[in-house]
Amino acid sequence: MAGQFAIVTGASTGIGFELARLCASKGYDLLVAADEPEIEAAAEALRKEVNSIAVVALQADLATIEGVDELYEVAQGRKVDVLMANAGRGLGHAFLDQEWARVRQVIDTNVMGTTYLLHRVGQDMRRRNEGQILITGSIAGFTPGSFQAVYNASKSYLNSLSFALREELRDTKVTVTCLMPGATETEFFARADMLDTKVGSEDKDDAAMVARKGFEAMMNGEGDVVTGLKNKIQSAVANVTPAETLAKQHRKQAEPGTAKS
């Protein structure tokens, strides 16, 4: 992979950082981005692990057009071989109890910013007729997310977009893969204010495992991957279960105060 270049968003911690590590291990030069200063420490850790690659860190608000434009410009016109659109936000509690600013931040990050980034880089890949895209969706996108409504809706959007984009690019050498994890051991639940929920307090999948499965699926040109047997079962059941029932089940997982004692 010498000389190849990957962009990974949401790469300061969790799945995004592990995806960046995998790219680094394969010799990709990296542009890693997040909206928090920890991205600098993440980039330095990657440089120490693989000192033969170039790692550029960018702190930018990828929920905005300006932030995505800045990311694109920092790439300095370099051919993007791999785009890992992983940046995302979660938000717990009842929809009508949430602060509108936080609701919009989830939508702008997960939907608007990600879509714009895919549009910009995807056009370049199609023009060159080569490239690989990994979109971090979620099995949450299969379920109406009571007490996590906006997040689940945003992941449903990303899951759908990834499959549609893959089909549109079927006759090209650009591949699109959707990584659909379940609950994963990251800072997600703390940031989403969901530590007092059942899903927030239960054991979760390992971020390195999730990233590895997604990376392997992308490298193999697969359309999607659901990580973990439990999540595979949940996603299969969701496809044949009425939405009203799924919403009731999700409430038991995500309603505040349902944490395991």
Side-chain angles (χ1 to χ4, degrees):
M1 303 300 176
Q4 293 198 302
F5 179 52
I7 294 176
V8 186
T9 65
S12 56
T13 60
I15 296 171
F17 177 72
E18 296 298 338
L19 287 170
R21 289 183 72 187
L22 289 163
C23 286
S25 72
K26 298 298 183 182
Y28 285 88
D29 289 337
L30 283 166
L31 170 53
V32 292
D35 63 357
E36 54 191 5
E38 287 80 2
I39 192 62
E40 295 290 347
E44 184 58 29
L46 293 167
R47 294 186 194 105
K48 289 179 179 179
E49 285 190 15
V50 185
N51 58 23
S52 61
I53 62 169
V55 182
V56 176
L58 173 67
Q59 182 183 349
D61 185 357
L62 300 178
T64 67
I65 296 297
E66 294 79 12
V68 175
D69 282 341
E70 184 180 2
L71 175 65
Y72 189 84
E73 289 164 7
V74 168
Q76 296 181 329
R78 187 168 180 183
K79 175 171 68 76
V80 180
D81 299 288
V82 167
L83 171 63
M84 294 183 160
N86 173 76
R89 287 186 175 276
L91 185 60
H93 294 277
F95 173 66
L96 296 181
D97 293 335
Q98 294 167 346
E99 297 177 8
W100 174 248
R102 296 192 68 188
V103 170
R104 179 166 180 175
Q105 192 175 42
V106 170
I107 297 171
D108 286 348
T109 303
N110 298 8
V111 176
M112 296 301 296
T114 300
T115 303
Y116 181 48
L117 177 62
L118 291 168
H119 194 258
R120 290 214 67 174
V121 177
Q123 285 185 328
D124 292 341
M125 288 182 171
R126 185 182 63 176
R127 192 176 302 116
R128 299 193 323 265
N129 196 31
E130 63 176 342
Q132 294 173 295
I133 297 171
L134 180 71
I135 300 170
T136 302
S138 174
I139 66 165
F142 298 124
T143 302
S146 309
F147 296 91
Q148 206 176 353
V150 175
Y151 173 77
N152 283 38
S154 73
K155 289 300 183 176
S156 179
Y157 171 90
L158 288 177
N159 292 353
S160 177
L161 178 65
S162 69
F163 286 111
L165 181 57
R166 178 179 176 85
E167 175 60 25
E168 291 176 2
L169 293 169
R170 183 179 61 181
D171 297 326
T172 74
K173 294 181 180 179
V174 180
T175 64
V176 181
T177 303
C178 187
L179 170 60
M180 294 183 284
T184 305
E185 195 61 58
T186 68
E187 297 181 21
F188 173 89
F189 292 97
R191 292 173 174 173
D193 194 18
M194 294 183 66
L195 294 180
D196 64 341
T197 66
K198 186 174 188 294
V199 66
S201 61
E202 288 180 331
D203 292 337
K204 303 171 185 62
D205 290 333
D206 176 61
M209 179 277 290
V210 171
R212 185 178 70 256
K213 294 293 186 181
F215 186 84
E216 291 172 352
M218 180 195 71
M219 296 302 292
N220 292 331
E222 298 172 19
D224 65 285
V225 58
V226 176
T227 57
L229 178 60
K230 178 182 176 182
N231 298 324
K232 286 180 169 65
I233 294 171
Q234 285 181 354
S235 62
V237 170
N239 286 326
V240 295
T241 303
E244 183 177 6
T245 300
L246 292 173
K248 289 180 179 178
Q249 292 173 347
H250 197 277
R251 178 177 195 144
K252 297 174 183 178
Q253 294 288 321
E255 186 172 12
T258 56
K260 294 168 61 178
S261 55

